[in-house]
């Protein structure tokens, strides 16, 4: 044994002539990662390697399913609060170990058996060669966390796979599967998993025997990129065009800092290049975007842990049923079937059943086209959905998800009807968007078996499911519903009951703020443009067009009844007015915008002058608001209601609230969610903004919790 640590070891491989194995296999962890302890051990291992005279070559292996997952993100929060000079020093210290490893006087081959991501990928890049098993993956996902590769990755990647490939890999953060990795030169060979280690040894032996010029390969990484100035200029110009069209540098500055660093250091030798990388990495690490994105990663873990806890004691769901084959019912049936769960889909209209089945076929057909599904599997999936007009088989299903029209009377009668037919212990769930679960439960004999299971539209794409606990819902019913949401590939967040639950309760004041701005005369298109620039995937007018103005008006009435002090306006809003003019949004071709179906069959949005004429009836001013005023007013309404949901115990933690907003309504991920946004504005500053706009109504007034936090100097995170 040359070195033995807790997380990694170095030993000579028996039966070889001087080939050593650096083996990552973290004790007490399910994956290998570069946490502080591993970094320290790696440094010790490198010293041991430098001091050993028996080694002629080395392979790097992993004892886990994942090769190395990357740096330890939980440690980032502490590091990223340090001054940039300290951050740079930290990086240069780690890099000196990586460089010393790279400079060892013998060839090294990484045997990538699983995901080699971030620091894991950078570890393989300090080897001369990379061999990948069929289960391997390689990539640099750091920009998704608001940073970029900092263990020499931005320096070595362009030297190994070329400037254009490197910029793309870093900007997209994509994990490359074997064929793809081989194609762009990220790995040098792909082999079957069971011969991976012997293939790596074989390659080292060839290097030792002088059959392969490994020193030339190493030299490529130590020297400037071998491209003329003109070739470099072309590579950067074209890559930047593509990258910045996708990642707005203001919203995702890490990508811009990575590109800038690479452009500066491609003409330098390794050690100088790494200094530039460290400087720009530190600049990225202290941005609010990095704090938000790292926070998002950690919140995701919190939400998963809470869901795991909430699903304890869940019963197995072998068969489900959905009532209603509309937009949501059809989507729920598709989602269940595609995750292997048989589901009965009942409607009262046969044309709706046909529509639901056609929608599922269309989605599956697209997967077949993309080569993700075979036609046989598509047939199998479709056969899991059983469309029906009667309740024949409802006696066997373990859960019934109600997704009929959003009308409390209809829902109550349908729920009572289905309860009488279902097994005594069957769970009955409602996909209602706004109606209180406790209220709907009054129609049932077994309210303990009744919960809310709120999917988002389109079901196949939106990851969130709100699981709503009514006053009488049992823990067992919640557990089973949470487990089912996970089985269906969704992320469940358990919330308590109130009109609109969490996400829609927060969304309606946001639409209310929009309506008020429009009433004062602000151009709805300018509001959209501002909020999109802020980071929302679509502005509020476009969003309500997609949701449907009818759905919006319907939901608004329920919310106005539930929270009249801040959701019952004393004026007619633009959304209601356009709805009354039969402008339902995308679904009938006109809302705030006009829609025409394009060549791909998707509704294409365009401006509609007629909208401005119609809106005159509900406008009593000609206000031109600044971008900042629009953002402040919209975000105050949104964030204040989120805080009220925390105050009222509708949602348990800021982490769940923030994740729900990102997964359910597309809150800009780089802003981390409503609570993170308040933290980043500053709690006291946010309260001051609330005071500034309090004259507009209760929705803008600072909630008591926020005022208390401000006075105590507290933050959400
Ligand atoms: P939809 O109008 O598209 O579909 C409703 C379906 O229910 C129709 O096919 C109708 O024929 C059927 N139906 C009516 N009465 C029935 C009965 N007694 N038995 C069986 N089927 C019956 O509506 P949708 O948009 O799918 O919404 C369904 C539910 O999901 C509503 O509660 C809605 O609030 C909620 N929801 C909607 C969205 C959305 O964006 N559309 C998002 C989340 C939740």
């Amino acid at each position: 044994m040359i070195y033995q640590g807790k997380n990694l070891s170095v030993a000579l491989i028996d039966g070889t002539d001087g080939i050593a194995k650096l083996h990552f296999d973290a004790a007490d962890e399910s994956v290998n990662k570069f946490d502080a302890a591993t970094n320290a051990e790696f440094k010790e291992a490198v010293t041991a390697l430098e001091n050993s005279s028996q080694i002629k070559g080395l392979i790097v292996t992993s004892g886990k399913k994942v090769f190395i997952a990357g740096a330890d993100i939980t440690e980032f929060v502490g590091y990223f609060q340090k001054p940039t000079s300290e951050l740079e020093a930290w990086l240069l210290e780690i890099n000196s170990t990586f460089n010393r490893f790279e400079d060892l006087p013998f060839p090294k081959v990484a045997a990538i058996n699983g995901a080699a991501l971030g620091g894991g990928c950078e570890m393989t890049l300090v080897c001369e060669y990379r061999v990948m098993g069929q289960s391997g993956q390689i990539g640099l996902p750091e920009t998704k966390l608001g940073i970029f590769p900092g263990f020499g990755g931005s320096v070595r990647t362009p030297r190994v796979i070329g400037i254009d490939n490197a910029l793309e890999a870093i900007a997209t953060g994509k994990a490359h599967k074997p064929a793809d990795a081989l194609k762009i030169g990220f790995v040098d060979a792909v082999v079957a998993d069971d011969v991976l280690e012997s293939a790596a040894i074989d390659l080292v032996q060839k290097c030792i025997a002088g059959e392969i010029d490994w020193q030339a390969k190493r030299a490529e990484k130590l020297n400037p990129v071998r491209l003329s100035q003109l070739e470099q200029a072309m590579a950067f110009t074209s890559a930047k065009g593509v990258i910045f069209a996708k990642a707005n540098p203001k919203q995702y500055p890490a990508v811009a800092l990575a590109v800038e660093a690479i452009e500066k250091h491609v003409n330098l030798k390794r050690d100088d290049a790494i200094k530039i990388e460290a400087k720009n990495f530190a600049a990225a690490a202290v941005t609010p975007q990095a704090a938000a994105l790292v926070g998002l990663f950690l919140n995701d873990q919190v939400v998963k842990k809470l869901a795991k806890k909430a699903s304890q004691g869940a019963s197995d769901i072998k068969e489900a049923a959905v009532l209603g084959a509309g937009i949501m019912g059809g989507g729920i049936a598709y989602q269940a079937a595609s995750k292997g769960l048989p589901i009965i889909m009942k409607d009262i209209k046969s044309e709706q059943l046909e529509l639901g089945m056609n929608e599922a076929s269309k989605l599956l057909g697209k997967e077949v086209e993309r080569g993700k599904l075979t036609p046989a599997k598509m047939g199998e999936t479709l056969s899991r959905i059983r469309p029906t007009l009667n309740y024949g088989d409802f006696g066997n299903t373990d859960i019934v998800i109600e997704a009929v029209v959003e009308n409390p009377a209809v829902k109550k009668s349908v729920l009572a009807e289905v309860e009488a037919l279902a097994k005594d212990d069957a769970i009955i769930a409602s996909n209602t968007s706004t109606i209180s679960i406790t209220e709907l439960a009054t129609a049932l004999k077994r309210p303990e078996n009744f919960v809310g299971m709120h999917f988002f539209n389109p079901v196949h794409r939106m990851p969130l499911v709100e699981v709503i606990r009514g006053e009488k819902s049992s823990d067992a019913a919640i557990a089973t519903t949470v487990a089912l949401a996970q089985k269906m590939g969704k992320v469940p967040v358990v919330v308590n009951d109130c009109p609109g639950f969490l996400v829609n309760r927060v969304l309606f004041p946001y639409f209310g703020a929009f309506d008020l701005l429009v009433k004062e005369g602000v151009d709805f298109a300018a509001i959209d443009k501002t909020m999109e620039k802020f980071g929302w995937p679509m502005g509020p007018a476009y969003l309500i067009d997609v949701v449907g103005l009818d759905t919006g008006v319907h939901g608004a009435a329920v919310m106005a009844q539930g929270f009249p002090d801040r959701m019952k306006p004393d004026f007619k809003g633009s959304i209601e007015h356009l709805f009354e003019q039969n402008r339902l949004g995308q679904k009938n071709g006109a809302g705030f915008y006009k829609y025409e179906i394009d060549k791909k069959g998707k509704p294409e949005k365009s401006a509609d002058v007629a909208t401005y004429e119609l809106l005159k009836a509900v406008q009593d001013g000609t206000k031109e608001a600044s971008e900042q005023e629009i953002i402040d007013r919209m975000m105050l309404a949104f964030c204040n209601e989120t805080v009220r949901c925390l105050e009222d115990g509708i949602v348990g933690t800021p982490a769940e609230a923030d994740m729900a907003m990102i997964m359910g309504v597309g809150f800009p991920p780089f802003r981390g969610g409503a609570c993170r946004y308040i933290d980043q504005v500053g709690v006291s500053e946010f309260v001051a903004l609330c005071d500034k706009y309090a004259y507009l109504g209760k929705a803008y007034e600072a909630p008591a919790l926020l005022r208390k936090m401000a006075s105590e100097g507290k933050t959400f995170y």
Side-chain angles (χ1 to χ4, degrees):
M1 187 62 66
I2 295 166
Y3 175 80
Q4 179 68 59
K6 248 182 103 184
N7 301 330
L8 56 97
S9 61
V10 185
L12 282 167
I13 303 173
D14 286 344
T16 63
D17 182 16
I19 298 182
K21 172 157 125 173
L22 166 61
H23 189 58
F24 285 83
D25 194 3
D28 318 322
E29 297 276 359
S30 57
V31 294
N32 292 317
K33 52 189 173 189
F34 276 112
D35 52 14
T38 306
N39 282 330
E41 285 186 14
F42 183 42
K43 190 173 175 182
E44 287 167 9
V46 171
T47 305
L49 282 163
E50 285 168 340
N51 295 335
S52 170
S53 54
Q54 311 145 280
I55 303 172
K56 294 183 183 157
L58 175 141
I59 64 167
V60 184
T61 58
S62 156
K64 308 281 190 216
K65 223 170 135 193
V66 159
F67 177 75
I68 300 173
D72 184 351
I73 297 164
T74 57
E75 291 179 354
F76 284 178
V77 181
Y79 286 131
F80 292 3
Q81 281 165 0
K82 291 181 196 283
T84 50
S85 57
E86 265 183 59
L87 264 166
E88 277 178 58
W90 168 68
L91 286 163
L92 292 176
E93 162 72 17
I94 294 175
N95 272 297
S96 83
T97 308
F98 274 68
N99 294 349
R100 279 168 56 205
F101 181 78
E102 185 168 52
D103 295 340
L104 287 166
F106 45 76
K108 303 170 292 300
V109 175
I112 305 170
N113 62 315
L117 301 176
C121 167
E122 291 170 299
M123 173 71 227
T124 74
L125 289 169
V126 283
C127 298
E128 282 70 46
Y129 296 99
R130 285 155 298 284
V131 182
M132 183 179 266
Q134 285 295 351
S135 308
Q137 274 183 41
I138 189 164
L140 295 162
E142 287 88 343
T143 49
K144 292 183 181 166
L145 292 171
I147 48 174
F148 68 91
F151 296 171
S154 84
V155 174
R156 293 183 182 93
T157 314
R159 287 158 173 82
V160 170
I161 64 174
I163 292 174
D164 41 0
N165 286 331
L167 290 176
E168 196 194 332
I170 290 170
T172 62
K174 180 180 146 188
H176 298 263
K177 294 211 170 118
D180 194 18
L182 186 63
K183 197 168 133 206
I184 62 167
F186 232 149
V187 296
D188 303 284
V190 172
V191 297
D193 287 336
D194 56 352
V195 296
L196 176 61
E197 199 164 315
S198 57
I201 293 173
D202 189 51
L203 190 52
V204 177
Q205 271 163 343
K206 286 199 168 77
C207 292
I208 297 168
E211 291 171 40
I212 301 174
D213 188 358
W214 60 273
Q215 270 142 329
K217 194 84 183 161
R218 177 183 298 182
E220 281 175 13
K221 294 187 289 156
L222 304 182
N223 290 307
V225 167
R226 282 187 303 181
L227 278 184
S228 70
Q229 291 297 333
L230 182 65
E231 286 168 318
Q232 284 182 28
M234 279 167 62
F236 278 109
T237 310
S238 66
K240 280 199 271 190
V242 177
I243 289 169
F244 294 135
K246 284 190 196 145
N248 177 341
K250 286 221 173 80
Q251 296 177 346
Y252 293 92
V255 175
L257 283 162
V259 175
E260 183 195 84
I262 296 172
E263 208 164 4
K264 274 191 193 157
H265 70 47
V266 284
N267 293 312
L268 301 177
K269 289 196 166 227
R270 181 193 67 189
D271 292 0
D272 289 331
I274 287 207
K275 284 183 200 148
I276 301 224
E277 177 186 274
K279 194 165 187 310
N280 274 25
F281 180 103
V286 296
T287 58
Q289 288 88 344
L293 290 167
V294 168
L296 194 64
F297 174 89
L298 301 175
N299 283 351
D300 184 49
Q301 307 223 308
V302 171
V303 164
K304 285 192 180 129
K305 229 179 249 171
L306 288 169
K308 196 171 166 201
K309 203 167 144 208
S311 68
Q312 266 162 24
S315 323
D316 193 22
I317 299 281
K318 295 195 187 68
E319 188 180 83
V322 61
L323 286 177
I327 300 172
M328 297 307 288
I332 292 166
Y334 160 83
Q335 189 65 27
S338 67
K339 295 290 172 188
L341 180 69
I343 186 159
I344 304 171
M345 178 169 72
K346 182 190 176 294
D347 205 290
I348 46 173
K349 294 186 194 146
S350 57
E351 63 269 25
Q352 285 296 105
L353 291 175
E354 225 168 273
L355 219 69
M357 290 308 287
N358 285 346
E359 196 54 33
S361 301
K362 224 165 59 190
L363 289 173
L364 290 164
K366 274 190 200 149
E367 284 183 44
V368 172
E369 258 172 47
R370 279 194 222 117
K372 287 192 166 170
L373 201 71
T374 62
K377 283 263 178 235
M378 169 171 167
E380 224 175 89
T381 306
L382 275 179
S383 70
R384 287 194 198 104
I385 309 177
R386 268 188 297 150
T388 177
L389 289 170
N390 58 59
Y391 281 119
D393 293 329
F394 272 57
N396 293 324
T397 63
D398 304 301
I399 186 164
V400 180
I401 305 166
E402 170 277 310
V404 304
V405 285
E406 186 79 345
N407 175 318
V410 176
K411 281 197 189 291
K412 279 185 184 174
S413 105
V414 171
L415 288 167
E417 196 171 82
V418 82
E419 185 187 44
L421 298 160
K423 291 191 289 192
D424 280 0
D425 60 350
I427 291 171
I428 301 185
S430 175
N431 181 49
T432 171
S433 319
T434 50
I435 309 167
S436 152
I437 293 303
T438 304
E439 168 59 23
L440 289 175
T442 56
L444 297 174
K445 293 203 178 77
R446 297 186 292 275
E448 65 278 11
N449 290 353
F450 181 61
V451 299
M453 188 176 194
H454 184 210
F455 290 85
F456 290 78
N457 186 19
V459 177
H460 67 282
R461 209 172 291 144
M462 301 298 281
L464 179 69
V465 170
E466 279 181 297
V467 175
I468 302 122
R469 187 192 290 276
E471 245 168 48
K472 295 192 175 159
S473 310
S474 70
D475 287 346
I478 294 288
T480 304
T481 311
V482 166
L484 175 64
Q486 287 171 316
K487 192 170 172 171
M488 288 174 71
K490 298 295 169 193
V491 183
V493 169
V494 180
V495 297
N496 281 318
D497 187 36
C498 67
F501 325 118
L502 171 64
V503 172
N504 281 334
R505 174 166 158 183
V506 168
L507 207 50
F508 277 94
Y510 176 78
F511 283 129
F514 165 77
D515 260 347
L516 185 56
L517 281 163
V518 175
K519 173 185 175 277
E520 291 173 13
V522 182
D523 175 7
F524 70 87
I527 302 175
D528 270 9
K529 215 168 133 201
T530 302
M531 296 318 284
E532 284 162 17
K533 203 166 140 197
F534 178 83
W536 286 90
M538 43 182 94
Y542 188 18
L543 179 60
I544 196 71
D545 272 1
V546 173
V547 170
L549 277 75
D550 49 343
T551 308
V553 169
H554 215 90
V558 179
M559 302 309 292
Q561 208 182 352
F563 305 102
D565 61 343
R566 50 194 193 275
M567 297 190 208
K568 190 173 181 190
D570 54 6
F571 61 93
K572 177 168 286 180
S574 59
I575 299 172
E576 191 177 350
H577 179 65
L578 290 185
F579 162 71
E580 285 169 359
Q581 313 300 311
N582 194 34
R583 289 187 157 233
L584 308 185
Q586 258 183 7
K587 64 175 82 164
N588 75 348
F592 282 90
Y593 301 93
K594 266 194 308 204
Y595 298 89
E596 270 172 40
I597 302 298
D598 68 8
K599 280 187 223 133
K600 288 184 188 155
K602 288 194 176 146
E604 200 182 349
K605 169 172 101 112
S606 61
D608 185 0
V609 278
T611 308
Y612 290 97
E613 277 306 309
L614 289 172
L615 288 181
K616 281 184 184 158
V618 288
Q619 289 182 310
D620 58 12
T622 52
K623 186 179 172 75
E624 278 187 32
S626 68
E627 283 187 1
Q628 196 56 51
E629 178 171 354
I630 292 173
I631 292 169
D632 287 345
R633 288 172 58 168
M634 296 296 292
M635 293 314 292
L636 284 185
F638 189 96
C639 296
N640 281 350
E641 200 57 35
T642 308
V643 176
R644 291 193 177 98
C645 284
L646 278 165
E647 271 178 339
D648 294 351
I650 298 303
V651 63
T653 59
E656 290 165 285
D658 280 357
M659 286 305 289
M661 298 313 158
I662 288 166
M663 294 188 297
V665 285
F667 192 100
F670 65 90
R671 295 195 187 271
C675 298
R676 175 83 58 190
Y677 180 71
I678 296 173
D679 271 3
Q680 292 197 339
V681 170
V683 178
S684 297
E685 288 78 358
F686 196 89
V687 168
L689 269 180
C690 291
D691 291 342
K692 176 175 169 190
Y693 287 110
Y695 74 94
L696 292 173
K698 181 92 180 164
Y700 303 84
E701 283 177 19
L705 172 65
L706 220 48
R707 227 175 255 293
K708 186 163 177 277
M709 284 172 66
S711 70
E712 291 169 0
K714 288 203 172 130
T715 52
F716 288 106
Y717 294 101

